[in-house]
Amino acid sequence: MANPKDFLHHSDCTAMRAICRPRQYDIIDWRWLISALPARDSGASKERTPRNHHRRRQPRMHKILFVHNNYPAQFHPLSTALAGRSDIKMAAIGSPTARALPGVQLIKYVIPDGEVVATHPFARRFDAESRRAEQVLYAASNLKQAGFEPDLVIGHPGWGEMLPLRPIFPKARIVTYCEFYYQLGGQDVGFDPEFPDMGIDGHVKIQLKNAATLLALDACDIGLSPTLWQRSTYPKTFQSKIEVIHDGIDTDAIRPREDAALTLRSGRVLTRADEVVTYATRSHEPLRGIHCFLRALPRIMAARPTAQILIIGGSGTPYGFSPPPGHSWRSWFFREIDGRVDTSRIHFVDNLSRADFLIALQISSAHVYFTYPFVLSWSLLEAMSAGCVVIGSDTPPVREVIDGQNGVLVPFFDIPQLADQVLEALNHPRHFAKMRKAARETVTSRYDLKRVCLPRILDFYQISPLPRATRPARAAAAQKR
């Protein structure tokens, strides 16, 4: 394959050698980088345009760069919506876990190995973030050298990847995705008395976890948070710089379905005629209330002898504290109820396809969503969009969505009340028909991807909602009608 330096002017080669580190990457398509270079004038004669011929001005290419360790993540809806547009070119930089999407050129960097023994414990996280930032610097510099100068850069600051972006792209509009700001208490840390305090040194580490985020917020043009509560976790100094727009929920795809049926690995088929209690999180950890949910099961299952329990997910890295050695948090807390429940009615579904996950929501009789004051999960809004009866924790991020009319709120640590509310939904399903409808209406009116969130996101990013190239065609079609 050709070397990109062969296509650069001689004066550019020194700079290219300084920044080009192809050994740092596992995926680089030099052909795409070279294609972005301006074409050289071959000196051939050009065809003269007739004097009276009016050529349509071509729209300027809008270039967008996404930077996210686990791309596409929160940027999936926007990337998908813009794919195929003739007026937009997209690139993304991510780690080996990033996934390519149609219409987006993805460059993956290799996470460098670093010896941190000699690094002060307080600085080890920032040391790792700085090493990632260096890899992003190499990737972004090569993009720029190849002619990809983004008008808009959208990134997540949580892994240090945004640290080099302003120096590399000083003219770009840079947007920081503001997901969460760590505090010393009352959020993911210091909320649950069941777990020990981290001590003064632990508190210092928590504060330092915000270092890369603060630097990114200072350097960016504006920030974007998905919920009001998540913005409120940030220092007041920065809150006025952060807009609130949710990522959006596809309510057309996620909707109630009376004939939904889920086939379990055992071959058993569950439908809406069954009593099904659902609980779904990426990882089963105390931060998402796994201990509360499991402790409520003996009472629920004793009162409803045919109820089926679907526990979805759990294979990811847990948030917060790590479980005791040799255990997951799920297995650790399940020991408390083992022997007190009918395990044949408890179904752990670790790897459920997206389609089957939505079916699980559609057949749910009661869906439990518990969380510390932390990032609001998409799964809560997806459950509401599917028309679930949601029993949620009475914590700030959940209160922003559930008001008692569109779902039930329960104090996080009140296990008996959690069990009682689930049993109420199972005992009197018809009484909750209005609540199911209100839950879906909340999502369609406030969080609908196509009709609410995406138009606001496009406006926020100053991107036209329709490709300019399509407008004349539509106008012509309208004249014919």
Side-chain angles (χ1 to χ4, degrees):
M1 186 178 291
N3 190 312
K5 290 188 289 186
D6 296 337
F7 294 81
L8 299 174
H9 191 274
H10 178 74
S11 62
D12 295 327
C13 288
T14 301
M16 188 67 174
R17 282 193 294 268
I19 63 173
C20 184
R21 306 255 182 120
R23 62 183 179 84
Q24 302 286 346
Y25 303 96
D26 58 350
I27 296 180
I28 291 187
D29 189 342
W30 291 114
R31 291 167 296 181
W32 177 77
L33 295 176
I34 294 165
S35 69
L37 290 169
R40 299 267 180 108
D41 186 356
S42 63
S45 60
K46 299 181 180 179
E47 183 178 349
R48 183 172 297 176
T49 304
R51 180 177 299 176
N52 295 327
H53 178 72
H54 299 285
R55 292 189 300 176
R56 182 181 299 157
R57 178 180 295 177
Q58 293 297 317
R60 184 179 69 85
M61 180 68 70
H62 197 78
K63 296 178 182 178
I64 303 174
L65 174 63
F66 299 99
V67 181
H68 195 300
N69 160 62
N70 197 35
Y71 179 86
Q74 293 92 345
F75 308 143
H76 187 282
L78 180 61
S79 301
T80 302
L82 299 180
R85 283 185 48 162
S86 60
D87 61 333
I88 291 177
K89 191 175 185 67
M90 295 182 287
I93 298 173
S95 75
T97 61
R99 294 183 297 108
L101 290 179
V104 182
Q105 180 67 26
L106 175 63
I107 298 179
K108 295 183 181 183
Y109 61 82
V110 176
I111 300 175
D113 294 327
E115 181 58 62
V116 297
V117 174
T119 305
H120 193 284
F122 290 167
R124 286 175 183 173
R125 179 186 174 99
F126 193 73
D127 180 275
E129 291 171 338
S130 297
R131 293 174 190 273
R132 280 184 184 258
E134 183 181 33
Q135 301 306 305
V136 173
L137 184 150
Y138 297 147
S141 296
N142 277 294
L143 282 174
K144 184 174 183 177
Q145 189 71 24
F148 189 89
E149 183 88 25
D151 307 285
L152 174 64
V153 178
I154 306 170
H156 193 300
W159 299 273
E161 295 166 315
M162 296 192 70
L163 293 176
L165 298 181
R166 176 58 74 191
I168 299 172
F169 304 118
K171 297 180 181 179
R173 184 172 187 248
I174 298 180
V175 179
T176 296
Y177 187 86
C178 301
E179 188 173 26
F180 188 72
Y181 190 88
Y182 295 95
Q183 302 285 356
L184 298 183
Q187 292 182 178
D188 60 324
V189 174
F191 173 77
D192 194 336
E194 189 165 337
F195 298 93
D197 187 76
M198 299 181 68
I200 298 300
D201 57 339
H203 288 173
V204 174
K205 290 180 182 179
I206 288 294
Q207 286 183 310
L208 291 173
K209 289 174 75 172
N210 294 314
T213 293
L214 287 172
L215 290 169
L217 265 174
D218 180 65
C220 75
D221 294 286
I222 195 167
L224 181 65
S225 263
T227 71
L228 291 168
W229 182 80
Q230 284 170 250
R231 178 176 68 177
S232 76
T233 65
Y234 285 79
K236 286 185 169 47
T237 306
F238 286 105
Q239 287 182 24
S240 61
K241 192 178 182 178
I242 303 171
E243 184 72 21
V244 176
I245 307 174
H246 195 267
D247 313 309
I249 301 297
D250 187 350
T251 62
D252 293 337
I254 310 171
R255 58 190 311 119
R257 185 177 147 201
E258 294 293 331
D259 64 344
L262 179 65
T263 303
L264 302 177
R265 285 193 295 261
S266 64
R268 174 161 186 170
V269 178
L270 298 178
T271 69
R272 293 197 63 165
D274 297 296
E275 290 183 353
V276 180
V277 179
T278 51
Y279 171 90
T281 63
R282 182 183 63 87
S283 301
H284 297 158
E285 66 267 292
L287 185 143
R288 298 299 191 194
I290 184 62
H291 51 330
C292 300
F293 178 69
L294 291 178
R295 289 165 180 169
L297 288 184
R299 184 170 179 175
I300 294 169
M301 298 180 74
R304 306 301 297 183
T306 63
Q308 304 294 315
I309 314 299
L310 276 182
I311 302 179
I312 303 165
S315 59
T317 302
Y319 290 119
F321 293 102
S322 297
H327 285 276
S328 66
W329 279 121
R330 187 177 74 192
S331 67
W332 178 257
F333 288 113
F334 195 82
R335 300 176 313 145
E336 298 181 19
I337 65 171
D338 196 13
R340 301 166 54 203
V341 293
D342 179 1
T343 56
S344 68
R345 293 191 284 132
I346 300 178
H347 311 282
F348 293 106
V349 190
D350 293 344
N351 298 307
L352 202 59
S353 68
R354 176 68 176 170
D356 283 344
F357 169 68
L358 298 183
I359 292 174
L361 296 179
Q362 291 164 339
I363 65 172
S364 176
S365 307
H367 181 78
V368 176
Y369 177 78
F370 264 40
T371 184
Y372 289 5
F374 192 62
V375 173
L376 189 74
S377 306
W378 288 339
S379 66
L380 169 62
L381 298 175
E382 290 170 338
M384 295 174 71
S385 183
C388 287
V389 176
V390 175
I391 293 91
S393 58
D394 190 5
T395 47
V398 183
R399 282 199 299 269
E400 185 173 335
V401 180
I402 293 180
D403 57 13
Q405 302 300 313
N406 56 10
V408 180
L409 291 173
V410 174
F412 188 92
F413 303 107
D414 195 334
I415 309 304
Q417 188 174 344
L418 169 58
D420 287 345
Q421 292 297 338
V422 171
L423 288 172
E424 183 70 14
L426 298 180
N427 290 333
H428 307 287
R430 293 184 180 179
H431 295 176
F432 290 85
K434 186 176 180 180
M435 181 175 286
R436 287 178 178 272
K437 183 179 179 181
R440 177 164 171 80
E441 288 176 348
T442 296
V443 180
T444 56
S445 64
R446 293 166 53 185
Y447 303 102
D448 183 275
L449 173 62
K450 298 174 184 175
R451 302 166 189 84
V452 179
C453 297
L454 186 57
R456 289 189 61 201
I457 290 171
L458 291 175
D459 182 66
F460 172 79
Y461 287 128
Q462 300 173 7
I463 302 172
S464 62
L466 292 174
R468 295 184 183 91
T470 67
R471 291 177 181 172
R474 293 193 176 191
Q479 288 179 356
K480 290 181 179 179
R481 288 195 298 267

